[in-house]
Amino acid sequence: MIDFTRIDYLKDGNERQKKAYEILTKYRIFEKLKDYSPILAGTVPIEIDINGSDLDIILDVDLRFEEDFLDDLMFSKFIPHDVDVEYPIINGEKCITLNFILEEFPIEIFGQNKPAIQKNAYLHMIAEYKILQEKGEEFKQKIIELKKEGIKTEPAFGILLGLENPYEDLLKI
């Protein structure tokens, strides 16, 4: 099993994973976010990304994030100044999302006051990874094709696995 809590596995991955690793290390994203336990989640780590797929970085944040990191981020040269910052309420809890582009990768940083390994994005990715390992390459290609048709990742798994509520059902795997 890959240790998805680190990004070094990307160095030996497919071309897009290698490029993601290069950009994340070049801009020292994980180094700058280390106090918030960053994890790369989503489709790139499990090789079901398509053109335009973003790098989803999930964090365990608290008030320090806004006070310390976000202020530095907005005035630093390590990312562009056109960062879209939003504060969605998810399950009654204030969260933060930052969206920006680094070279050819859209980046989404999602912060919530919850350990990254307990976030649904991480848990979904682990479940999807296990399913992909079990079902094989043909299944993986079907997921990618559904994604190319505009279907989001969890619903794509739901279609192929006959899941009634893929967002909830994947958490049970």
Side-chain angles (χ1 to χ4, degrees):
M1 172 92 170
I2 295 171
D3 180 1
F4 289 109
T5 63
R6 305 168 43 91
I7 62 168
D8 54 344
Y9 66 91
L10 296 170
K11 290 187 288 191
D12 301 317
N14 64 28
E15 289 308 308
R16 193 154 157 84
Q17 287 176 323
K18 289 175 185 174
K19 184 65 177 168
Y21 180 81
E22 178 186 316
I23 289 170
L24 292 170
T25 54
K26 174 181 175 182
Y27 290 93
R28 299 174 33 226
I29 301 290
F30 276 66
E31 181 183 329
K32 291 178 181 290
L33 294 170
K34 71 179 180 297
D35 291 342
Y36 309 101
S37 305
I39 295 178
L40 182 64
T43 59
V44 172
I46 59 174
E47 299 181 86
I48 56 171
D49 56 300
I50 58 173
N51 283 341
S53 290
D54 59 5
L55 297 178
D56 294 310
I57 301 169
I58 56 175
L59 308 176
D60 177 8
V61 301
D62 55 20
L63 293 176
R64 289 176 308 131
F65 183 75
E66 284 187 76
E67 294 169 0
D68 299 340
F69 180 74
L70 195 54
D71 287 343
D72 291 344
L73 173 79
M74 294 307 193
F75 300 105
S76 75
K77 294 179 181 167
F78 101 94
I79 64 166
H81 286 281
D82 53 346
V83 177
D84 181 27
V85 181
E86 295 181 6
Y87 298 92
I89 304 294
I90 299 177
N91 296 327
E93 186 177 337
K94 181 180 173 185
C95 302
I96 186 170
T97 61
L98 292 82
N99 288 280
F100 55 93
I101 306 281
L102 279 182
E103 299 185 22
E104 74 261 23
F105 279 101
I107 309 279
E108 178 172 281
I109 296 177
F110 175 81
Q112 184 180 31
N113 191 2
K114 181 181 197 179
I117 60 170
Q118 292 178 11
K119 288 181 176 45
N120 285 353
Y122 179 76
L123 298 172
H124 284 161
M125 180 183 69
I126 295 301
E128 292 158 1
Y129 176 75
K130 288 177 182 175
I131 292 165
L132 291 168
Q133 296 301 299
E134 180 184 308
K135 299 281 187 185
E137 189 62 30
E138 187 177 326
F139 182 88
K140 180 179 180 178
Q141 291 308 315
K142 288 178 184 176
I143 292 289
I144 292 169
E145 287 306 313
L146 288 171
K147 290 181 59 55
K148 286 179 180 176
E149 293 172 18
I151 297 170
K152 296 251 181 223
T153 305
E154 288 81 356
F157 275 84
I159 289 168
L160 294 182
L161 297 172
L163 303 177
E164 198 170 307
N165 183 344
Y167 291 97
E168 291 298 318
D169 295 340
L170 284 169
L171 295 175
K172 297 173 187 171
I173 295 176

